């Protein structure tokens, strides 16, 4: 219940901030161009709060917090008194109308840069792109535990998320990835990961794992947190022991313990478990026990500490250096977003990547729980997405209106009301289809969790 309330709250906060900036962009440029703004609304539906400014604009917060709008004086929507006709939007020249419409997405782009700047000043904590375990194709390609990934296909990466995105891009393009790493001996090497051999329909959200890579922060050390009284390990193993080997087979993580215990149990008899205790390496004899019905798994009666390790990567800059860093990050995120859209249109990426408000709410809550730096990053990414989506040449969206005005510039006269109305219907149908797909993916994601 707490997660649900938190998700709803942070979604409202996120959309409220982004929509306010988007609509303020339209409002500010409209006022600079001499257009009379009738209403500035954050949200749709019945106003919960409103007040009127000195310039006559009604500022309102409405009940449905999934968008907003700026209502301008326009002769196409209502009769305009003769004395105010020059303040109507439709009577402004095409360049002014272009500027007013483009100002919303531009405000979101500027907000994205500002949020990333703030994130870099605060400091963005994350995990490094360090390999914890390598198996499958990654092991065959030469990857080993401790390899620190420096770049993928020439794209520098500082964190595991950046490395994962670069590997996913290569996999979607059905190409092999050239990965430059620094190994434990501090030597730089280039390894080729044959991602083109991944089967059709691979999981785009788990490319690194399917390639056999597990990140270092995902590898939980096999350090005991508890020993059950009266169990097979009771009196032999102790909390704090770090398991190093079971029956002669090395243990690098807690995830390896259970399968090795099953092997030892099926073999029968006692086995040697090597542990590190207070700086000493000890070899202890333990015999796993099976459930009383003789059908369950073999157990030692031990537990491991849960939770992820501390972050080992930090991206932080001074106020001046943070600005170019924010610009670079914005460019990289924009390239990734546009690349994903292109791949979905060409069939190289799944349309399951389209998400709706349910996913936004869940990610907003998770980001807020991770800290202010992660919430700033989430807001920046969402603001950039809002900018890009609004610039799509779909009637109803800002991009559709920009397309109309560009056509007007070329042909020298506005499009007919009939053509524009037909375009609005097409735009509504496309938008409804996209929203339906986003909701479907959201619901499917909840069902499959």
């Amino acid at each position: 219940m707490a997660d649900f309330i938190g998700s709803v709250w942070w979604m409202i906060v996120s959309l409220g901030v982004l929509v306010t900036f988007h609509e303020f962009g339209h409002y500010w440029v409209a006022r600079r161009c001499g257009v009379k703004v009738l209403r500035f609304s954050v949200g749709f539906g019945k106003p919960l709060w409103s007040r009127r400014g000195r310039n006559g604009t009604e500022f309102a917060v409405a009940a449905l917090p999934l968008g907003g709008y700026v209502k301008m004086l326009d002769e196409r929507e209502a009769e305009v008194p003769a004395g105010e006709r020059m303040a109507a939007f439709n009577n402004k020249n095409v360049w002014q109308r272009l500027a007013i419409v483009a100002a919303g997405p531009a405000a979101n782009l500027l907000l994205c840069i500002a949020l990333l700047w703030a994130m870099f000043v605060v400091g963005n904590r994350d995990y490094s792109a360090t390999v914890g375990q390598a198996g499958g194709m990654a092991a065959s390609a030469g990857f080993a535990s401790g390899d620190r990934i420096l770049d993928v296909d020439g794209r520098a990466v500082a964190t595991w998320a950046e490395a994962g995105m670069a590997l996913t891009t290569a996999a979607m393009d059905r190409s092999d990835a050239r990965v430059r790493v620094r190994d434990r001996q501090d030597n730089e090497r280039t390894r080729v990961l044959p991602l083109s051999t991944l089967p059709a329909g691979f999981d785009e959200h788990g490319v690194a794992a399917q390639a056999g890579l597990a990140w270092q922060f995902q590898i939980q050390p096999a350090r005991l947190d508890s020993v059950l009284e009266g169990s097979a390990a009771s009196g032999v193993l102790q909390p704090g022991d770090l398991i190093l080997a079971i029956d002669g087979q090395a243990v690098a993580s807690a995830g390896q313990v259970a399968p090795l215990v099953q092997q030892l149990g099926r073999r029968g008899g006692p086995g040697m478990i090597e542990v590190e205790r207070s700086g000493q390496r000890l070899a202890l004899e333990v015999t796993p026990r099976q459930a009383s019905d003789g059908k369950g798994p073999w157990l030692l009666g031990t537990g491991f500490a849960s939770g992820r390790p501390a972050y080992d990567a930090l991206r932080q800059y001074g106020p001046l250096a943070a600005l170019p860093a924010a610009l670079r990050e914005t460019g990289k995120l924009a390239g990734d977003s546009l690349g994903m859209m292109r791949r979905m249109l060409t069939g190289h990426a799944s349309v399951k990547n389209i998400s709706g408000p349910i996913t936004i709410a869940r990610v907003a809550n998770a980001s807020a729980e991770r800290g202010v730096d992660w919430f700033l990053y989430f807001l920046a990414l969402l603001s950039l997405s809002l900018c890009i989506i609004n610039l799509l040449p779909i009637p109803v969206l800002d991009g559709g209106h920009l397309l109309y005005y560009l056509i007007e510039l070329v042909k020298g006269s506005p499009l007919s009301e009939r053509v524009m109305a037909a375009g609005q219907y097409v735009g509504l149908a496309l938008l409804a289809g996209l929203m339906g797909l986003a909701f479907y993916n959201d619901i499917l994601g909840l069902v499959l969790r």
Side-chain angles (χ1 to χ4, degrees):
M1 186 63 180
D3 279 346
F4 173 78
I5 294 174
S7 296
V8 172
W9 166 250
W10 288 114
M11 182 187 72
I12 291 173
V13 170
S14 301
L15 292 182
V17 169
L18 301 186
V19 167
T20 299
F21 270 84
H22 180 92
E23 299 305 333
F24 182 78
H26 291 309
Y27 169 82
W28 190 84
V29 176
R31 293 293 300 154
R32 303 287 81 73
C33 291
V35 175
K36 182 176 181 179
V37 179
L38 303 177
R39 174 180 285 182
F40 181 120
S41 177
V42 177
F44 297 111
K46 184 178 180 180
L48 300 176
W49 171 90
S50 68
R51 75 172 183 84
R52 194 168 296 278
R54 294 178 182 177
N55 57 16
T57 301
E58 179 190 5
F59 296 89
V61 177
L64 190 61
L66 294 178
Y69 62 92
V70 169
K71 183 177 177 60
M72 305 176 204
L73 190 69
D74 196 314
E75 290 181 312
R76 295 168 299 180
E77 297 180 4
E79 187 175 344
V80 176
E84 293 186 332
R85 284 177 184 169
M86 292 308 298
F89 175 80
N90 64 290
N91 287 327
K92 297 301 175 180
N93 67 54
V94 67
W95 289 108
Q96 289 176 313
R97 283 178 277 139
L98 271 168
I100 293 168
V101 172
N108 283 125
L109 179 60
L110 292 174
L111 177 61
C112 171
I113 296 170
L115 290 167
L116 289 174
W117 174 86
M119 180 198 74
F120 282 129
V121 171
V122 171
N124 178 224
R125 304 155 301 144
D126 205 343
Y127 295 106
S128 64
T130 303
V131 177
Q133 287 180 354
M137 72 167 64
S140 299
F143 286 88
S145 175
D147 282 353
R148 179 82 170 252
I149 296 179
L150 304 176
D151 67 60
V152 179
D153 290 330
R155 173 175 170 172
V157 299
T159 66
W160 72 280
E162 290 181 327
M165 183 63 198
L167 293 174
T168 299
T169 298
M172 289 188 296
D173 291 340
R174 312 304 294 172
S175 64
D176 298 336
R178 293 182 60 82
V179 183
R180 187 166 61 92
V181 306
R182 179 175 290 117
D183 62 20
R184 287 188 183 276
Q185 289 72 44
D186 207 32
N187 298 315
E188 289 191 12
R189 305 183 184 278
T190 298
R191 315 194 193 283
V192 178
L193 201 57
L195 297 176
S196 61
T197 62
L198 285 175
F202 65 89
D203 180 8
E204 295 172 4
H205 298 286
V207 169
Q210 292 169 83
L213 291 174
W215 304 112
Q216 181 173 269
F217 77 91
Q218 297 172 327
I219 306 301
Q220 181 183 356
R223 188 175 297 280
L224 298 181
D225 180 59
S226 60
V227 178
L228 187 64
E229 187 71 29
S231 66
S234 180
V236 182
L237 301 178
Q238 298 178 7
D241 286 351
L242 177 65
I243 297 179
L244 303 175
I246 296 177
D247 208 23
Q249 298 189 56
V251 172
S253 68
Q256 295 176 281
V257 172
L260 291 176
V261 169
Q262 302 313 303
Q263 291 180 25
L264 178 58
R266 287 191 293 268
R267 179 176 65 77
M272 301 304 294
I273 296 184
E274 297 178 49
V275 303
E276 180 185 282
R277 180 185 298 170
S278 301
Q280 294 183 315
R281 186 171 183 130
L282 306 174
L284 308 170
E285 188 178 273
V286 180
T287 303
R289 297 176 188 171
Q290 199 172 20
S292 58
D293 58 6
K295 298 178 181 179
W298 296 89
L299 303 171
L300 292 178
T302 57
F304 299 98
S306 60
R308 288 184 171 182
Y311 293 111
D312 63 349
L314 176 67
R315 296 188 295 171
Q316 188 172 29
Y317 304 92
L320 293 179
L323 181 57
L327 291 170
R328 288 193 302 271
E329 188 73 10
T330 300
K332 185 166 62 176
L333 291 174
D336 288 341
S337 298
L338 293 171
M340 181 65 73
M341 292 172 62
R342 174 179 60 80
R343 291 180 180 92
M344 284 191 287
L345 288 172
T346 58
H348 289 90
S350 172
V351 292
K352 292 179 181 178
N353 290 293
I354 298 175
S355 301
I358 296 175
T359 298
I360 291 173
R362 287 168 49 197
V363 177
N365 187 49
S367 301
E369 289 178 347
R370 293 181 71 176
V372 64
D373 55 330
W374 279 97
F375 190 62
L376 288 170
Y377 182 80
F378 165 75
L379 282 178
L381 183 58
L382 194 59
S383 187
L384 181 62
S385 299
L386 189 60
C387 168
I388 293 173
I389 290 171
N390 266 284
L391 287 175
L392 292 177
I394 299 175
V396 179
L397 298 178
D398 291 334
H401 293 293
L402 291 174
L403 178 62
Y404 287 157
Y405 301 146
L406 289 174
I407 294 173
E408 182 178 340
L409 278 173
V410 172
K411 69 188 290 282
S413 62
L415 290 171
S416 68
E417 292 290 334
R418 183 176 179 181
V419 170
M420 293 179 68
Q424 298 281 44
Y425 285 120
V426 171
L428 285 171
L430 288 172
L431 201 56
L434 284 172
M435 291 176 63
L437 180 59
F439 273 108
Y440 173 79
N441 288 338
D442 279 357
I443 295 170
L444 189 64
L446 287 175
V447 171
L448 296 179
R449 284 180 68 188

